[in-house]
Amino acid sequence: MEKNNLKGNVEAVDICDLRTTTEGTELGLRKHAESYLNVINGQELTLSSAGNKEVNLKEPPKWGLPFGACQKQLVLPRVEPMAVQRCSRSAPRVSQGSQQQVEMDVKIMLEPENIDSKAGLKHPNIETRLPLITKKKSAPMYSQKTGKGHKVTSPWALPAFHSLNSALPLVEDDTPKGPLSLTGQRLILPAAKRTLPVPPVVSRAAPFPEFPRQRKKSAAGEISSRLDPENTDTITFPKPKEAIYGTYSSGKGNIAPLPSSNSMVSTRKSKPEWTYPTQQLEAEVHIPSQTQPPQTAQPFQDPYLDWNIAVYHGTVDQKAPGFLALQQHYHSSWGSIVGFLEHTEKLLKDHAVPLATINGQKLAQIASDFDFNENPTKSDILSVIKNQSAVEKILNRPGQRCRGQGGTAAAAADIPRRWRCPGAALGSGQQQWAAGVLGASWRSWKHRAHVRNALREARHRHLENFYSRSKHLAANWNRIRTSRRTIIHIPSLGYSQHIREHIPDLALQQNLQMGRLCDILDANVDVIYICPLALSEELLQYYNKLLGLQAAVRSGNPEDMADLQDRFKILTPEAINSFPEHHMCLATVLKYSPRTIQRLQVLIQSRDAYVVGGVPHQDDLAVADVLQVPLLGSEPAVAQLYSTKSGSKRIFASAGVQTPPGEWGIHSREQLLCALSQLILDNMEVQRWLFKVDDERGGNGTAYCDVISHLECYHWIQKEWQGHGPEVWSKSQARELALVKISQELPGLLAQHVQPVNEKRFPTWEKFLQTFLSQGGVIEAFPFSASITNLTVDLLIEPTGEVTMVSSGDQLHAEGPLRSSGTTIPQRSVDPAVLNSLCSKIGEVCKSKGVLGYFSVDFVAFTHPQTREQQVWATDLDLCYSDQLALTQLLLYVTDGNLDCGSSRLQGPLGSKESRSQRIQREGTKPPAPSSLRCAVASSQLRHSSLSEISYNLLLHTCKARGVGFDLQEKQGTVFVLYEDQKRHRLGMITIGEDLQGVLLTFARNLFIIHQEISAPNMQGETNFKMAIRDIEAILGVAAENKLKLEEEQPWETDALKE
């Protein structure tokens, strides 16, 4: 026999050694059989000497064959004979005679007792040439008792060979090991039956020859046989998945693994058996495993034609050994196989099949029958799947197509198609109608989904641009605020939709801040005011004259009035009447007014400009993004979070300022009753408790209840509290009993005695409670004092982070103690130093939370009945431009004054009378006073239904005739704020004077006069003038003098005030 060694030389091996061995004893033959088996299994073998006494002949052999296996027969498949080729360029063919001799030699080695077979070896003309094998050093094997002997090299190792159908030569690693190697290498006849003898000694590691490696091994065709340790009559072969991915175990009885890719033979460490994740996935989706039970030895098929490919969730594992081996073996028809696999993947993805195993042999056969443009059917794909029943069961599930990729679109297209029923009669009109409805609904849903996605992307882009422009504004703020600039005022109320729906006259409420126009007091500022109402020429002329008073106010001469129309613009969006039922805020209306947007772009072209909004809304960002200008305000999400009642409590708690006793974040009835019961026990001195809805404004979502006066167990609780004392009371059982009693009484008590502020919207407690729990709210104590003052402070967080107070005032309550209808400017109820400290803390916390621009804080000040000290509680926070600030701007404009919130002083230039007294003081060598103190009463909530019966021009002339007006020389008097001229039932008014008492009297007198001029004795109309007058009288304590004065003038006015 000839063989090419590594250097390409042909060498010959004599057969004499083999003949001598066969004539030896039976022990020697079994030694050679053992050597043969270990060599073909890829192991090293060391045999013991014949005289070794330590060898236990009954010890199981290394390769796991049980004793007596020699009597069992291993049936091998029939394989057509083939020529053994070598890897060199010229591979000589093996002659038929040589092939027969090789077969005979193998037969003799496996059956040494057969004497007839030995005669074949003595033929003189037959010579077998074996390959020359280089000895290697033995490597340590697994720890077990083995025999000692000489190292023997196997004469049965063959060089690498070509597979019958392989296009590329296979290296040693690709060669099957074990008994299968004889069939794989075509060295055993197809119908041969061989019996494996029992080895006489236990094997030990022996060197194994190294063969050249030409490429990385492919394990697709490897089949590692495993012997059943319990059944000695059967041989267990690997499961199908093990044939694909291999089984990494080297326990006792298993055949040793293949040699590593290193040049030297090395032993592998024992590893636990590894399971592919497919088995876990099968358990989850209840796919039966395609494992086979142990079976007896059967004829083997060619392992290269039995590859499997796993498909997980419609994706072929292209790195699996089976896939790679299939690609190598069928490279000539790989294009058709890939096309078939693509259709298979699509089918499995469309039906969300978690696992499928494809038979590689069937795949290659079926794929070769399809043309390039021909698509396989569902049955064709199922025919190549090994777990066909499980996959077919998944494919046939109802609605399974909707669970895969594109399932929603497929369902939407399939439902109308099924309803149309093409095979039905033409008279099935109901089905046609249903199909049309479904199709229209689907198209509508798709359109809405597209709009939602586009809106989401647009809002994200607007937010990013908002932050980038805010950074630019902060970096250039010091320059912008001292240079020529344009301020775009958009007094939008961007509340939530459910809140805007309950705001009466939403457009009018957004137009209560006409005082923003007075920003033109700064000579470098031009103002563009976006008005939510269409103003008539009469109103436009009024504001043109009012703003033209600036020069006349400074000079004190009415003739110095100027036309400042080029300094301010009032623009009304054209879409104000396009959405009458949608309750849109002004920013949204402006967003859908392209002509107004275009005009704004022209007005601010090549100029520094920024937007000052109202209550922040997403469309404020959209408008600012279209205009490409920054927004001096907070992000809408931040404003909505901290403008709620509960959100303001978070800010106050972080700032460490004092707040009323209460609980916030109430969302359930049980939470409400439990919190209120606890608060009542902890604050026995509190008579009235307030309930405030989180998102409501202006007192509309507020209710109150005098719990103590209606609580039946209050006297018992008070007696127990006095008997135990404050320290013992908190830990006594009586307190727990009191808590139970209060909780039992509260539901009925609240249902009977709670008073909502807005009784039109909330006529009952249950109606209020439903809104309270759905939106969330707070429980808050009302101050337990007879002297209570509410005040509002406006602050500005500039882009640079500086916090400043811009306005402050004490509230007036014309419509009840919980609704603000006006203010007195500046505030005089709290020490300015204390107020500055509180506002500074709150401002710093707001800045840390991302608040920017204008916002206002509400406080309540009262004298504690026991300590007689003033208490100041922070009660509310509004992150928006307030009505009080707009009125303050108008006040400063018409007086040319200055408001110092740090000292709560409003100073204005001297009037004519003050100038004369100043000259007298100067003659008396007294230092001149540069300015005089002023105070004002302002309200934007005056309401009278009879105002619509008289025009504004007539009203102004009537008031002027009755002495109601503004004195330019003295810089004192009354200024009206007109909002609209359609309904004309709302009015704003500012009264300016030198002292607070005089201003309040003037304000009340003006209301009397207006009421007298527009009302008849029998038609008083709906108004809040009377409540405003009563509130002023309560403040001054001069109700008796006013009544007496009115009775002397006209008796019917007194009767009107009593109503």
Side-chain angles (χ1 to χ4, degrees):
M1 180 178 291
E2 297 180 354
K3 170 190 175 292
N4 282 17
N5 60 8
L6 298 177
K7 298 181 180 180
N9 300 325
V10 179
E11 300 177 358
V13 179
D14 195 355
I15 201 64
C16 295
D17 295 337
L18 182 60
R19 293 177 180 176
T20 303
T21 305
T22 57
E23 295 174 354
T25 61
E26 182 179 356
L27 178 60
L29 290 174
R30 293 191 181 189
K31 290 181 181 180
H32 283 286
E34 180 187 7
S35 175
Y36 157 73
L37 289 175
N38 283 278
V39 169
I40 64 176
N41 283 336
Q43 298 181 353
E44 296 180 9
L45 178 64
T46 301
L47 298 179
S48 302
S49 61
N52 196 341
K53 303 295 183 179
E54 299 176 359
V55 176
N56 187 358
L57 298 180
K58 294 184 179 181
E59 184 178 349
K62 177 74 175 8
W63 53 84
L65 283 175
F67 290 106
C70 60
Q71 304 300 327
K72 310 300 176 182
Q73 293 181 340
L74 178 63
V75 182
L76 301 177
R78 180 181 181 87
V79 182
E80 296 299 330
M82 61 172 291
V84 180
Q85 300 178 0
R86 62 180 182 178
C87 299
S88 62
R89 299 177 182 176
S90 60
R93 298 180 178 271
V94 180
S95 63
Q96 185 174 2
S98 301
Q99 184 176 353
Q100 295 177 357
Q101 179 61 32
V102 171
E103 295 174 357
M104 182 62 68
D105 295 341
V106 174
K107 183 176 181 181
I108 293 170
M109 290 298 300
L110 296 178
E111 302 181 35
E113 297 87 353
N114 192 344
I115 303 176
D116 296 335
S117 299
K118 297 180 180 180
L121 294 177
K122 300 180 180 180
H123 197 282
N125 297 328
I126 297 178
E127 179 179 343
T128 302
R129 298 179 181 272
L130 297 178
L132 182 62
I133 300 175
T134 305
K135 294 184 179 180
K136 309 290 287 186
K137 292 182 178 181
S138 62
M141 299 299 289
Y142 309 100
S143 59
Q144 67 179 42
K145 186 176 180 180
T146 59
K148 299 181 179 180
H150 302 284
K151 295 183 179 179
V152 178
T153 58
S154 174
W156 296 98
L158 295 178
F161 68 100
H162 287 284
S163 177
L164 180 63
N165 298 324
S166 178
L168 297 176
L170 298 177
V171 295
E172 178 267 335
D173 284 346
D174 295 320
T175 306
K177 303 299 186 296
L180 301 182
S181 62
L182 298 179
T183 303
Q185 301 177 34
R186 278 44 174 193
L187 297 182
I188 298 181
L189 294 178
K193 296 183 179 181
R194 294 294 176 259
T195 302
L196 301 180
V198 178
V201 294
V202 179
S203 62
R204 199 176 70 173
F208 187 73
E210 179 186 357
F211 294 96
R213 299 185 180 273
Q214 301 176 5
R215 54 184 171 80
K216 186 177 180 179
K217 72 174 183 177
S218 174
E222 294 184 8
I223 301 179
S224 302
S225 62
R226 298 184 300 177
L227 301 181
D228 191 350
E230 299 178 359
N231 188 357
T232 59
D233 296 336
T234 61
I235 298 177
T236 304
F237 295 100
K239 301 178 182 180
K241 284 183 287 186
E242 294 175 358
I244 300 174
Y245 308 110
T247 303
Y248 296 86
S249 71
S250 58
K252 184 176 181 179
N254 289 353
I255 297 176
L258 294 176
S260 64
S261 58
N262 298 331
S263 59
M264 297 298 294
V265 178
S266 62
T267 58
R268 297 173 181 257
K269 296 182 179 180
S270 176
K271 297 182 180 179
E273 187 170 357
W274 176 79
T275 303
Y276 202 84
T278 308
Q279 299 176 3
Q280 300 177 2
L281 186 58
E282 286 179 348
E284 294 175 1
V285 299
H286 306 288
I287 297 178
S289 177
Q290 300 297 316
T291 58
Q292 300 176 356
Q295 57 187 359
T296 58
Q298 296 180 357
F300 279 95
Q301 296 180 354
D302 191 339
Y304 297 99
L305 300 178
D306 194 25
W307 293 306
N308 296 328
I309 301 176
V311 184
Y312 298 97
H313 299 284
T315 302
V316 174
D317 186 4
Q318 299 185 5
K319 295 182 179 180
F323 182 86
L324 299 176
L326 185 68
Q327 181 181 10
Q328 173 186 333
H329 194 74
Y330 292 99
H331 66 277
S332 60
S333 59
W334 187 246
S336 60
I337 295 177
V338 170
F340 195 94
L341 286 176
E342 290 178 354
H343 290 89
T344 304
E345 284 184 328
K346 184 178 184 305
L347 178 65
L348 299 179
K349 283 183 180 179
D350 290 346
H351 291 80
V353 178
L355 173 64
T357 304
I358 298 177
N359 189 318
Q361 182 179 1
K362 291 184 179 180
L363 173 63
Q365 293 175 357
I366 295 180
S368 61
D369 297 336
F370 284 89
D371 295 335
F372 182 75
N373 296 327
E374 186 178 0
N375 296 331
T377 62
K378 179 179 178 181
S379 59
D380 295 332
I381 295 176
L382 289 174
S383 64
V384 303
I385 297 178
K386 298 190 69 174
N387 56 335
Q388 178 179 352
S389 59
V391 173
E392 189 173 7
K393 183 179 179 181
I394 295 176
L395 296 179
N396 294 333
R397 288 178 184 172
Q400 186 66 26
R401 176 64 185 90
C402 303
R403 298 183 178 94
Q405 65 175 3
T408 305
D414 187 63
I415 292 175
R417 178 181 61 80
R418 292 179 180 274
W419 273 97
R420 289 191 182 96
C421 296
L426 296 177
S428 57
Q430 185 177 3
Q431 294 180 347
Q432 295 289 337
W433 170 82
V437 170
L438 291 173
S441 300
W442 168 248
R443 289 190 297 269
S444 177
W445 183 89
K446 289 288 290 183
H447 177 70
R448 289 197 301 268
H450 175 73
V451 171
R452 282 194 296 267
N453 293 334
L455 183 60
R456 189 181 300 109
E457 294 176 359
R459 287 180 174 176
H460 181 69
R461 183 178 65 255
H462 297 159
L463 187 60
E464 290 181 346
N465 294 338
F466 164 75
Y467 281 120
S468 62
R469 293 192 178 99
S470 296
K471 292 180 180 179
H472 180 269
L473 182 65
N476 298 273
W477 178 249
N478 293 329
R479 177 189 60 82
I480 292 175
R481 68 177 179 178
T482 58
S483 60
R484 191 73 176 176
R485 61 193 183 278
T486 300
I487 302 177
I488 304 173
H489 282 282
I490 307 176
S492 174
L493 296 180
Y495 297 118
S496 302
Q497 179 69 24
H498 65 275
I499 298 177
R500 297 199 302 269
E501 290 176 352
H502 293 93
I503 297 179
D505 298 326
L506 177 61
L508 178 61
Q509 290 291 335
Q510 295 178 119
N511 201 39
L512 298 181
Q513 299 179 0
M514 294 293 291
R516 293 184 182 220
L517 291 168
C518 297
D519 280 344
I520 62 174
L521 181 64
D522 188 342
N524 291 324
V525 174
D526 292 341
V527 173
I528 301 176
Y529 179 82
I530 307 300
C531 183
L533 296 169
L535 302 183
S536 63
E537 288 296 328
E538 182 181 8
L539 282 182
L540 293 177
Q541 291 179 5
Y542 174 78
Y543 282 105
N544 186 27
K545 292 181 178 179
L546 179 62
L547 297 177
L549 291 175
Q550 183 181 17
V553 168
R554 292 177 177 175
S555 64
N557 185 5
E559 297 180 357
D560 293 338
M561 293 181 58
D563 188 2
L564 300 179
Q565 294 188 31
D566 58 337
R567 296 280 311 281
F568 71 94
K569 301 292 182 183
I570 301 177
L571 303 181
T572 302
E574 67 268 18
I576 55 173
N577 298 322
S578 300
F579 311 98
E581 303 297 331
H582 290 74
H583 304 280
M584 290 183 175
C585 64
L586 181 58
T588 305
V589 174
L590 178 60
K591 175 184 175 181
Y592 296 120
S593 302
R595 290 198 298 270
T596 305
I597 292 290
Q598 186 176 6
R599 188 177 179 187
L600 282 171
Q601 291 173 340
V602 173
L603 292 174
I604 65 176
Q605 188 174 7
S606 302
R607 304 188 64 178
D608 289 331
Y610 57 88
V611 175
V612 176
V615 178
H617 189 268
Q618 291 286 347
D619 289 333
D620 287 290
L621 306 184
V623 171
D625 190 60
V626 172
L627 299 177
Q628 298 183 358
V629 294
L631 174 65
L632 184 60
S634 304
E635 178 189 348
V638 175
Q640 293 175 7
L641 175 61
Y642 295 112
S643 287
T644 62
K645 306 301 181 184
S646 298
S648 63
K649 301 299 181 184
R650 297 187 182 95
I651 294 291
F652 299 150
S654 300
V657 299
Q658 193 173 6
T659 58
E663 188 71 24
W664 46 272
I666 306 295
H667 288 86
S668 65
R669 187 187 297 266
E670 293 76 12
Q671 187 182 7
L672 171 66
L673 296 177
C674 180
L676 182 57
S677 301
Q678 190 72 36
L679 289 172
I680 292 173
L681 278 181
D682 295 340
N683 303 274
M684 297 293 294
E685 68 277 5
V686 177
Q687 299 291 326
R688 175 176 293 182
W689 291 93
L690 307 179
F691 307 92
K692 297 182 178 180
V693 181
D694 265 343
D695 296 334
E696 297 292 339
R697 295 292 180 273
N700 291 321
T702 304
Y704 62 92
C705 181
D706 297 328
V707 177
I708 299 301
S709 59
H710 302 287
L711 192 64
E712 295 179 359
C713 62
Y714 174 74
H715 297 289
W716 176 84
I717 295 174
Q718 191 175 25
K719 181 179 179 180
E720 292 290 331
W721 180 78
Q722 294 175 355
H724 288 81
E727 297 180 357
V728 181
W729 169 255
S730 60
K731 301 180 181 179
S732 63
Q733 296 182 355
R735 187 179 187 278
E736 300 297 330
L737 181 60
L739 187 63
V740 173
K741 289 187 175 183
I742 294 175
S743 301
Q744 293 175 351
E745 287 189 39
L746 276 181
L749 186 151
L750 296 176
Q752 295 180 7
H753 301 288
V754 169
Q755 295 291 328
V757 174
N758 189 347
E759 294 183 355
K760 292 183 178 179
R761 182 179 175 186
F762 304 111
T764 63
W765 161 247
E766 288 298 328
K767 187 70 174 178
F768 177 85
L769 184 62
Q770 181 181 1
T771 303
F772 182 88
L773 298 180
S774 62
Q775 299 183 21
V778 301
I779 304 174
E780 187 177 287
F782 191 80
F784 41 91
S785 176
S787 176
I788 301 172
T789 303
N790 296 91
L791 62 150
T792 302
V793 180
D794 291 287
L795 298 97
L796 169 64
I797 299 179
E798 299 182 2
T800 56
E802 183 180 355
V803 181
T804 57
M805 295 174 58
V806 293
S807 178
S808 65
D810 296 325
Q811 295 180 7
L812 299 177
H813 300 90
E815 301 183 27
L818 300 176
R819 274 188 171 180
S820 174
S821 59
T823 181
T824 60
I825 304 172
Q827 70 84 24
R828 295 186 178 180
S829 58
V830 179
D831 184 6
V834 174
L835 191 61
N836 289 341
S837 176
L838 296 175
C839 292
S840 177
K841 294 178 181 179
I842 296 173
E844 291 298 328
V845 173
C846 289
K847 182 176 66 175
S848 66
K849 301 295 184 180
V851 177
L852 180 66
Y854 297 95
F855 67 98
S856 61
V857 184
D858 291 342
F859 297 92
V860 58
F862 65 98
T863 302
H864 197 281
Q866 298 177 356
T867 62
R868 308 305 300 174
E869 295 181 356
Q870 187 182 54
Q871 299 285 330
V872 181
W873 291 345
T875 58
D876 204 357
L877 176 68
D878 291 320
L879 302 181
C880 61
Y881 198 105
S882 69
D883 295 347
Q884 175 182 277
L885 181 57
L887 293 173
T888 301
Q889 295 293 91
L890 179 58
L891 169 63
L892 298 179
Y893 189 86
V894 297
T895 60
D896 194 24
N898 178 42
L899 177 61
D900 184 7
C901 296
S903 58
S904 295
R905 296 168 63 91
L906 174 62
Q907 297 178 340
L910 297 175
S912 59
K913 296 181 180 179
E914 295 171 334
S915 298
R916 289 194 296 269
S917 63
Q918 183 63 32
R919 286 195 298 271
I920 297 173
Q921 293 177 1
R922 194 164 46 246
E923 292 176 357
T925 64
K926 292 183 180 181
S931 60
S932 62
L933 297 178
R934 295 282 191 271
C935 60
V937 178
S939 175
S940 60
Q941 303 292 334
L942 300 177
R943 173 174 44 84
H944 202 300
S945 59
S946 298
L947 284 172
S948 59
E949 304 297 331
I950 186 174
S951 64
Y952 284 138
N953 281 332
L954 181 57
L955 176 64
L956 295 176
H957 282 90
T958 302
C959 290
K960 183 178 181 180
R962 297 290 300 270
V964 179
F966 187 77
D967 189 344
L968 291 176
Q969 294 181 352
E970 302 298 331
K971 299 175 179 59
Q972 298 179 12
T974 302
V975 177
F976 292 101
V977 184
L978 309 180
Y979 301 126
E980 49 89 26
D981 55 358
Q982 296 177 0
K983 295 181 179 180
R984 295 197 307 275
H985 63 281
R986 300 291 292 269
L987 188 69
M989 185 172 65
I990 302 176
T991 302
I992 307 167
E994 298 180 0
D995 59 275
L996 180 60
Q997 183 177 359
V999 170
L1000 288 172
L1001 288 173
T1002 303
F1003 192 90
R1005 179 178 177 274
N1006 293 342
L1007 295 179
F1008 281 132
I1009 292 174
I1010 295 174
H1011 176 77
Q1012 177 185 0
E1013 295 294 332
I1014 65 177
S1015 301
N1018 57 348
M1019 296 182 63
Q1020 298 298 307
E1022 183 180 353
T1023 180
N1024 61 357
F1025 285 12
K1026 301 174 184 179
M1027 297 181 66
I1029 294 173
R1030 293 194 184 105
D1031 186 49
I1032 293 174
E1033 289 175 347
I1035 294 174
L1036 298 177
V1038 291
E1041 288 99 1
N1042 288 341
K1043 289 182 180 180
L1044 180 60
K1045 183 178 180 180
L1046 290 174
E1047 289 175 356
E1048 293 176 355
E1049 294 180 357
Q1050 283 189 355
W1052 70 267
E1053 289 189 33
T1054 305
D1055 297 334
L1057 290 175
K1058 292 180 181 179
E1059 295 179 357

